[in-house]
Amino acid sequence: MKVVHTIADLRAALHPFDAPALVPTMGNLHDGHLTLIKAAKPLGDVTVASVFVNRLQFAPHEDFDTYPRTLDADCEKLAAAGCDVVFAPSERDMYPEPQGFKVHPDPAIADILEGRFRPGFFVGVCTVVMKLFQIAFAEAKGRGTAVFGQKDYQQLMVIRRMVRQFALPIEIVAAPTQRANDGLALSSRNGYLSETERAEAVQLSLALRALGRDALAAADGLARHLPALEQRAMEALSARGWQPDYLTVRRRDDLQSPNAGDALVVLGAARLGKTRLIDNLEV
Ligand code: PAF
């Protein structure tokens, strides 16, 4: 496995290949990321992982400075998972000058849910992902592929729309959320949890499952009953010591409020102690 740190070196490493499959990450890898690598392997003629903690998607009060940087351990895991090339640029390589040009996604999809509680988050994500695509696929002769986890459901949707609206010749592939034995969605931020918090953390996915069941039971009265069901779910989690940002049932197609008969996804974000966790469940 080759590890490269500059844009020029990545382009040179990918030059002989026709159709790279890219897995963008911020490192501190867990089994969920490795599933993305395994999903990417058959989709291209070279598998590339990027490891870059992207300052642009963090608000000043968020965990950019403390986000774990574990490149050596990440590379060992990536090699074992069959990754061919790791792109681990420094901030100077990715942003040699202030990134004044940015990708501003449609507010209809990017200013709700995560975007409401993390203003600017999706501008940062889209900007770095667009840049990673330009770097990784510039030499591609065929169609490139990029694999993202379904755990970041809204991110996946925003990126799909970006690719569609900019007509990028890139296929976006979703890989299912990986969960610990108790059902907690794997996330790099789980590492911030104390032992007690770790035992409690599964309650977010349980709350989403319960809300999903309630939503399905509401059937034709879904739109009418949903605000009260969501409110009850948030209160139940708050009573356990969480600070929920949102627990909500949305239409899968566009993450807007659903009507009876729509395919549904339940999404939630909540803080447990200092750790903010997100999860989702299609129901
Ligand atoms: O999901 C992530 O880890 C990040 O948002 C991504 C897509 C690598 C962009 O920095």
Side-chain angles (χ1 to χ4, degrees):
M1 187 180 75
K2 225 179 230 174
V3 182
V4 297
H5 297 283
T6 67
I7 294 173
D9 285 350
L10 181 67
R11 287 196 170 137
L14 296 184
H15 184 72
F17 299 98
D18 288 340
L22 171 71
V23 179
T25 83
M26 295 205 301
N28 192 24
L29 303 181
H30 50 69
D31 286 351
H33 293 110
L34 304 180
T35 310
L36 305 185
I37 299 291
K38 286 175 189 151
K41 270 213 78 76
L43 303 176
D45 54 2
V46 59
T47 306
V48 190
S50 61
V51 175
F52 179 65
V53 186
N54 172 39
R55 183 188 290 277
L56 291 189
Q57 69 193 73
F58 288 79
H61 64 279
E62 292 183 335
D63 54 346
F64 174 77
D65 289 328
T66 54
Y67 201 88
R69 273 87 167 163
T70 54
L71 185 60
D72 290 344
D74 291 344
C75 285
E76 274 179 36
K77 292 176 187 170
L78 288 167
C83 183
D84 301 309
V85 180
V86 178
F87 176 50
S90 68
E91 235 185 311
R92 269 178 90 91
D93 287 305
M94 273 304 269
Y95 300 127
E97 58 189 50
Q99 185 71 30
F101 287 82
K102 294 191 176 133
V103 180
H104 287 263
D106 183 350
I109 184 69
D111 286 4
I112 58 173
L113 305 172
E114 283 304 282
R116 174 168 166 230
F117 289 92
R118 302 185 68 188
F121 171 68
F122 286 116
V123 174
V125 168
C126 287
T127 302
V128 78
V129 169
M130 179 65 100
K131 194 153 182 172
L132 289 168
F133 285 175
Q134 301 303 326
I135 297 165
F137 298 121
E139 303 271 331
K141 289 127 211 129
R143 196 175 165 83
T145 304
V147 182
F148 292 86
Q150 235 176 338
K151 153 115 189 328
D152 296 294
Y153 200 91
Q154 186 179 7
Q155 170 174 281
L156 178 63
M157 188 169 287
V158 167
I159 289 167
R160 277 193 198 286
R161 288 195 181 190
M162 176 179 87
V163 164
R164 195 175 70 211
Q165 292 202 0
F166 284 111
L168 303 179
I170 298 164
E171 189 182 347
I172 302 300
V173 171
T177 303
Q178 299 299 303
R179 295 183 180 276
N181 286 340
D182 66 350
L184 172 67
L186 297 190
S187 160
S188 297
R189 290 191 168 97
N190 292 351
Y192 297 157
L193 298 167
S194 70
E195 211 175 306
T196 325
E197 288 168 346
R198 171 61 191 83
E200 171 66 19
V202 67
Q203 294 297 330
L204 176 59
S205 71
L206 295 179
L208 296 182
R209 197 169 305 167
L211 178 56
R213 268 197 308 266
D214 290 346
L216 291 178
D220 286 351
L222 180 66
R224 188 157 35 92
H225 290 301
L226 206 45
L229 296 176
E230 292 175 347
Q231 180 68 22
R232 196 171 69 188
M234 303 252 291
E235 282 168 7
L237 214 49
S238 298
R240 301 186 64 92
W242 293 69
Q243 291 166 276
D245 283 343
Y246 58 86
L247 266 75
T248 184
V249 180
R250 296 295 170 104
R251 187 156 60 203
R252 274 188 220 172
D253 280 354
D254 56 7
L255 300 186
Q256 300 301 316
S257 297
N259 292 308
D262 288 336
L264 304 177
V265 56
V266 193
L267 304 112
R271 209 171 290 278
L272 184 58
K274 290 194 164 70
T275 310
R276 186 172 182 277
L277 299 177
I278 65 170
D279 199 355
N280 66 80
L281 201 67
E282 290 182 340
V283 292

